[in-house]
Amino acid sequence: MQSLLDKLKSAFKPRPAKQVGDRLYLACVTQSRLPVFYIDYGVDDAIGARFELLTFHVGLVVTRLKSLPADDPRHDQAQETAQALFDSFLLALDSTLREQGVGDLSVPKKMKKLGQVIYTRLKRWDDLWRENAGLTAAADYTARTIMAGSDYGDDEADGEVRGQAVSAAVLERAQAFAIYAQAAYDAFQVDDVLAGRLAFPPPAALESDADSADLVMSGEEQ
């Protein structure tokens, strides 16, 4: 007969989906902290840009899981796992804000703004992939979000930089990131991810060209 202690342990044991979601989140954090993104790709090593890069990686996994067809036998598990990953992400953001000294009364307001930014990013990347928009469109969005960093939810609702020209150096790195993003999308393995195994492709090392500042894009939206 199962002891009372065993029953209590069982009752409070984390659900498998939550455990998987936590592992997937840690994998996204590890990938988004790779030095190559900051050294070769020129992503600003500041909280806003790190948030953008992490949001991209979490968003890729969430949208890929959410897009599984309803008639797929893995659909329900994929939905639950995607939600668990997203919950882990939001919980970590909440903790980060509190560690930065944001007061209890201000945290919900900050989280709401961050949530708007995250929703915008997830939807836009999902649209780009579903519509096969191509590397040019993906590079443009990368330049105005990941490469531009963000205000971490203190300004516009979607946090996207608009109305500014983009230098040739930034665009070149954004195009390289768009290639990486497509490779990560194509390499996604549902069964592995549902088991908590997440492997992103290695981002290619780039030759930096810090002196290039020719403007090649207008500030108008494409």
Side-chain angles (χ1 to χ4, degrees):
M1 180 180 295
Q2 188 179 28
S3 69
L4 176 60
L5 181 59
D6 289 337
K7 290 180 179 179
L8 289 174
K9 288 180 178 179
S10 178
F12 289 99
K13 185 177 180 179
R15 293 179 296 106
K18 183 184 184 306
Q19 294 177 318
V20 171
D22 289 344
R23 289 202 298 271
L24 295 177
Y25 174 70
L26 290 176
C28 290
V29 170
T30 299
Q31 185 72 5
S32 67
R33 288 180 178 172
L34 291 179
V36 65
F37 289 122
Y38 304 95
I39 297 174
D40 290 34
Y41 288 71
V43 176
D44 187 21
D45 190 12
I47 190 166
R50 294 196 299 267
F51 161 73
E52 289 282 354
L53 195 55
L54 178 57
T55 297
F56 166 79
H57 286 97
V58 171
L60 185 150
V61 179
V62 169
T63 55
R64 288 289 271 145
L65 289 174
K66 289 282 190 180
S67 66
L68 212 61
D71 59 355
D72 191 300
R74 301 166 297 178
H75 176 266
D76 290 347
Q77 184 183 1
Q79 298 293 308
E80 187 177 8
T81 302
Q83 188 61 54
L85 167 58
F86 195 71
D87 290 346
S88 294
F89 182 30
L90 294 183
L91 182 60
L93 288 177
D94 184 285
S95 297
T96 298
L97 291 175
R98 295 179 189 279
E99 290 171 2
Q100 292 174 341
V102 178
D104 290 342
L105 296 179
S106 299
V107 167
K109 181 179 179 181
K110 294 278 290 187
M111 285 297 297
K112 181 178 180 181
K113 289 183 178 180
L114 287 174
Q116 291 173 329
V117 174
I118 294 167
Y119 173 79
T120 300
R121 298 294 184 269
L122 267 62
K123 185 177 187 307
R124 181 57 179 151
W125 276 107
D126 193 37
D127 289 344
L128 289 170
W129 285 316
R130 287 177 182 271
E131 297 167 4
N132 294 315
L135 294 179
T136 299
D140 176 77
Y141 195 58
T142 297
R144 301 186 187 285
T145 54
I146 295 172
M147 297 302 175
S150 78
D151 54 19
Y152 210 49
D154 278 333
D155 198 356
E156 295 183 18
D158 64 4
E160 182 181 341
V161 174
R162 294 192 177 97
Q164 297 182 11
V166 179
S167 73
V170 171
L171 180 59
E172 182 180 4
R173 294 193 294 265
Q175 289 173 331
F177 186 90
I179 293 173
Y180 161 77
Q182 186 62 52
Y185 182 88
D186 293 339
F188 190 87
Q189 297 293 325
V190 174
D191 290 333
D192 285 346
V193 172
L194 292 179
R197 298 186 299 270
L198 178 58
F200 292 99
L206 307 179
E207 293 183 5
S208 61
D209 184 11
D211 296 330
S212 177
D214 295 329
L215 299 181
V216 296
M217 292 175 61
S218 71
E220 299 295 326
E221 284 230 47
Q222 302 296 312

